[in-house]
Amino acid sequence: MAKITSVSPLAPASFPELPVIGGVRFASAAAGVRYAGRTDVMLALLDPGSTMAGVFTRSATRSANVLDCQAKIGADSEAGAAIIVNSGNSNAFTGKAGDGSVAAICAAVAGATGLPETRVFTSSTGVIGERLPHDRITSKVGELVAALDPGKGAEAARAIMTTDTFPKGAGATVSLPGGAVKIAGFAKGSGMIAPDMATMLVYLFTDARISRTDLQALVSGINARTFNCITVDSDTSTSDTLLMGATGASGVDVTAEDTAFAEALEGVFLDLAHQVVKDGEGATKFVTVNVTGAASDADARTHALAIANSPLVKTAVAGEDPNWGRVVMAVGKSGAPADRDTLTIRFGDVLVAENGWVAPSYREEDGAALMKAPEITIGVDIGLGEGKATVWTCDLTHGYISINADYRS
C-alpha cells in the first residue's frame, strides 16, 4: 500500500474532541493485518438495550463483511452490540474463505463479550482479493475487550485508516425537551469514493433512546443527502458500510420526527462526508457543485455527478484553470435533459456563461483568481425546471496516481 508522507492541505487543524457517549466503549490494537506495528483493529462495544441501524454498498461484488452485516442489521435485540473493524485487508473477493473469516471473528468477539454472534458487526478495509489473516485479529480480541474505554474514540478512528492522511471525527450535543443528547462519529475514506448507499466506513453513536425503525429511517434519509452526495474518483467500494448505534443511556426519547435531533445528526453526517472529500487521495481543492433549474431533482443529481466525476473538470480545478467548456461538456454528456442556450454557469459568484455562450461581463482574470482558493463552488443552472442537487468532490492531481499506481506494493 502506498506510503502516505504528508497530510492533506484541506485537513482540519486537529481531531475534534468528541462528546463521550454513554453506553459505548472503544479499544484499538496492532494486529499486523498487513503491516507490523501498525494500529489496525478497533472494537466498539455497546451496552444492552442499544439499537442498531446501517446502510451498505449495493456493489455486486460486496465483501463478506457487508453481506453478513446486511443479514443482521434488521433484527431487534436487547443484547447490546459490538462493531469490530480492521484495516489493511478488505476481505473482499475472497470467496468462501471470506465468509469463514467473518464467522471466526464474530465467534471470537461473541465469546469474549457474551454477545450473541448475531449482534457482532464486522468491517474490513484495504486491499481487495487477498485472504484475510483473521487469526491475527481473533488473537487480539481479549486484549481489545480488556482495554475498552468510553474516551478512546479518537484511537478507534485512527485504527481504521488506510490511505487516509488524517482521522475523521465529528460530534454534536443537542438540547431536547427531555434533556441533552450527544452524537459522535468517525469515518475512514480517501480513495475509491463514490458511495452507492453510504460511504467507505462510517460509525456513529448517540445516547438517545430511539427505536430501530426510527433510527434506520433517519440514517437512510440523511445518508442520501450527505454521504451519497460525495465523490472522489467515481469508484464505489466493495466494502462501503455505515453503522449507527443508539445506546439510550441519556434516557431521552427521540423519534424520526424530532427535528432538532435530525438536524444535529445531519450536521455530523455532513461534516464527516466533507472530511472524506477533503482527504481525497492527492486532493488540493474542495469543490461544491450546485445544480439548479433541472427538469427534476434526479436530473440535477445526474448533472452534478457528471461534473464532479469528470477527469477533465477535476484536472482543470487542480490546474486552477477556469475552463467552463469542460463544465459544458460534462452537462452535455450526463444523459439528463439540457439545452445549450439555457445554461448558466458560475464559478463562485463570478458569472461565467449564459444564454449558450460566455457572459459579456466575464473576465478571465476574475475566474483565474477564484480558482486559486482551496474551496471552490461551481454553479450550473440548467434553465429547464425546478430540480436541484448538490454534490461535493475534489480535484484530481498526480498525487492520486502516485498513491494508486503502487497501492499493493
Side-chain angles (χ1 to χ4, degrees):
M1 192 175 297
K3 184 178 181 181
I4 308 303
T5 58
S6 61
V7 175
S8 168
L10 303 171
S14 61
F15 190 83
E17 186 171 342
L18 299 180
V20 174
I21 307 298
V24 60
R25 295 171 291 154
F26 304 95
S28 58
V33 173
R34 189 168 183 84
Y35 302 105
R38 176 170 171 172
T39 303
D40 55 5
V41 180
M42 84 88 179
L43 175 68
L45 185 64
L46 292 85
D47 285 354
S50 298
T51 55
M52 295 291 297
V55 281
F56 309 93
T57 182
R58 292 184 291 195
S59 167
T61 54
R62 53 195 181 274
S63 72
N65 305 72
V66 171
L67 292 169
D68 185 65
C69 285
Q70 285 180 302
K72 294 173 175 176
I73 199 66
D76 289 308
S77 174
E78 291 296 317
I83 301 169
I84 185 165
V85 186
N86 76 268
S87 61
N89 184 309
S90 71
N91 195 33
F93 200 60
T94 49
K96 296 298 182 183
D99 299 331
S101 292
V102 170
I105 293 168
C106 288
V109 173
T113 61
L115 289 170
E117 291 181 29
T118 54
R119 294 296 282 176
V120 179
F121 300 88
T122 70
S123 299
S124 296
T125 182
V127 171
I128 293 172
E130 296 182 10
R131 289 186 62 170
L132 178 67
H134 62 259
D135 57 311
R136 300 178 189 177
I137 300 170
T138 57
S139 69
K140 291 290 182 176
V141 168
E143 175 185 327
L144 288 164
V145 172
L148 286 165
D149 186 287
K152 291 185 176 178
E155 290 88 340
R158 291 182 177 88
I160 65 175
M161 293 166 55
T162 52
T163 58
D164 305 60
T165 70
F166 63 89
K168 301 159 186 67
T173 300
V174 56
S175 295
L176 300 175
V181 165
K182 298 175 182 178
I183 304 166
F186 49 86
K188 67 81 53 182
S190 189
M192 202 181 290
I193 306 299
D196 185 22
M197 42 50 79
T199 182
M200 298 59 62
L201 300 181
V202 186
Y203 307 98
L204 299 116
F205 308 90
T206 180
D207 57 6
R209 188 161 57 199
I210 183 171
S211 71
R212 181 185 60 79
T213 53
D214 277 6
L215 184 62
Q216 185 64 59
L218 283 170
V219 165
S220 296
I222 294 172
N223 162 72
R225 298 186 296 271
T226 56
F227 289 115
N228 259 10
C229 291
I230 65 172
T231 178
V232 167
D233 48 21
S234 82
D235 285 334
T236 296
S237 172
T238 59
S239 305
D240 286 348
T241 295
L242 183 153
L243 292 170
M244 182 168 183
T247 67
S250 68
V252 179
D253 290 313
V254 172
T255 70
E257 285 70 43
D258 283 323
T259 304
F261 179 76
E263 289 178 351
L265 185 60
E266 185 153 349
V268 173
F269 271 56
L270 191 59
D271 189 340
L272 290 172
H274 284 185
Q275 287 187 58
V276 169
V277 173
K278 290 178 179 179
D279 202 17
E281 290 169 343
T284 65
K285 308 280 188 181
F286 177 77
V287 184
T288 300
V289 180
N290 288 324
V291 173
T292 57
S296 67
D297 288 351
D299 285 348
R301 175 179 168 83
T302 297
H303 285 306
L305 285 171
I307 296 165
N309 283 326
S310 166
L312 290 178
V313 172
K314 292 161 76 71
T315 50
V317 172
E320 301 181 342
D321 177 11
N323 192 337
W324 68 86
R326 293 183 176 181
V327 177
V328 173
M329 172 279 301
V331 169
K333 68 148 185 178
S334 76
D339 185 327
R340 177 197 66 188
D341 295 333
T342 63
L343 283 181
T344 300
I345 300 172
R346 286 181 169 83
F347 291 154
D349 58 1
V350 176
L351 177 63
V352 175
E354 61 181 348
N355 303 319
W357 200 35
V358 64
S361 62
Y362 178 67
R363 299 291 179 268
E364 181 75 7
E365 56 267 28
D366 294 337
L370 185 142
M371 298 298 283
K372 294 184 181 300
E375 299 194 11
I376 297 164
T377 298
I378 298 173
V380 178
D381 191 272
I382 307 299
L384 296 181
E386 301 298 322
K388 60 184 179 180
T390 299
V391 167
W392 297 276
T393 190
C394 58
D395 55 346
L396 178 60
T397 70
H398 196 278
Y400 182 88
I401 299 170
S402 298
I403 291 168
N404 286 287
D406 62 353
Y407 183 76
R408 296 198 305 158
S409 62

